Amino acid sequence: NDVTIANLVLEEAANDAQVGAVESRKLLPTDSVGVRWKITNNEVRLNHGVGIGFADESSVSGNLVHHQGQMGLAPSGRESTVTNNEISFNNTAGYAVEWEAGGSKSWLTENCTMTHNFVHDNMGAGLWADSGNYGSTFEYNKITDNWAGGIEYEISYDAVIAHNEVSGNGRRRK
């Protein structure tokens, strides 16, 4: 708990799919959850799976998260904030867009807030909330040129999705 990761370049981890190069989520039943992580002003690049996976009460801000093999961010848990990040060019390994790939995919979150992020050119969705997300807020993000939907909110409820600039998404490239 209460870990700060700041001002680093984090690159070339051989992490599995669905696992972050930076990771605080509970991935196995025996794992504990890292609470209140602050992940700030890092460049996270060229990792195989997910760039940053985080859980309860975390703050992810000011990061450049690009060229991950699968996906940029993977939020889970409650009360986290994601602000002022650039999330781009993820899914270089060519994971199935319909499965889990692209900019960010939230799962089982409560009151996760994503604001003022620049999410672009991901091979998959820009910001995607899939299954069991409650009370999400997506505001003031610029989401452009992602291969799938700019914002996808699926099998989840009670969201605020407002004041975003969303353009040029859903055009898969060859």
Side-chain angles (χ1 to χ4, degrees), residues 4 24 42 49 59 73-75 77 87 92 104 119 133 136 140 145 150 159 165:
T4 298
S24 73
N42 300 289
S59 171
L73 303 180
I87 305 161
T92 61
S104 175
V119 184
N133 298 282
S136 300
Y140 302 103
D145 299 317
E165 181 182 328

Side-chain angles (χ1 to χ4, degrees), residues 39-137:
I39 304 165
T40 307
N41 299 324
N42 300 289
E43 182 176 1
V44 182
R45 65 185 184 203
L46 304 170
N47 300 293
H48 179 71
V50 175
I52 303 172
F54 56 95
D56 299 346
E57 301 175 48
S58 292
S59 171
V60 178
S61 64
N63 299 287
L64 174 56
V65 184
H66 65 96
H67 292 94
Q68 311 310 312
Q70 181 191 11
M71 189 165 48
L73 303 180
S76 185
R78 59 187 171 73
E79 306 292 336
S80 290
T81 60
V82 179
T83 188
N84 294 316
N85 299 284
E86 182 175 342
I87 305 161
S88 58
F89 301 103
N90 294 295
N91 192 17
T92 61
Y95 283 88
V97 170
E98 299 79 17
W99 174 61
E100 190 162 306
S104 175
K105 186 174 180 184
S106 304
W107 185 67
L108 295 176
T109 65
E110 182 178 332
N111 300 322
C112 182
T113 300
M114 296 189 166
T115 60
H116 302 284
N117 298 291
F118 182 29
V119 184
H120 65 95
D121 295 291
N122 294 288
M123 291 175 37
L127 300 177
W128 183 6
D130 181 18
S131 296
N133 298 282
Y134 169 77
S136 300
T137 300

Side-chain angles (χ1 to χ4, degrees), residues 12-35:
E12 298 182 356
N15 49 319
D16 289 333
Q18 299 183 294
V19 176
V22 176
E23 183 64 72
S24 73
R25 297 171 299 159
K26 182 176 184 167
L27 300 173
L28 300 172
T30 55
D31 291 345
S32 61
V33 174
V35 178

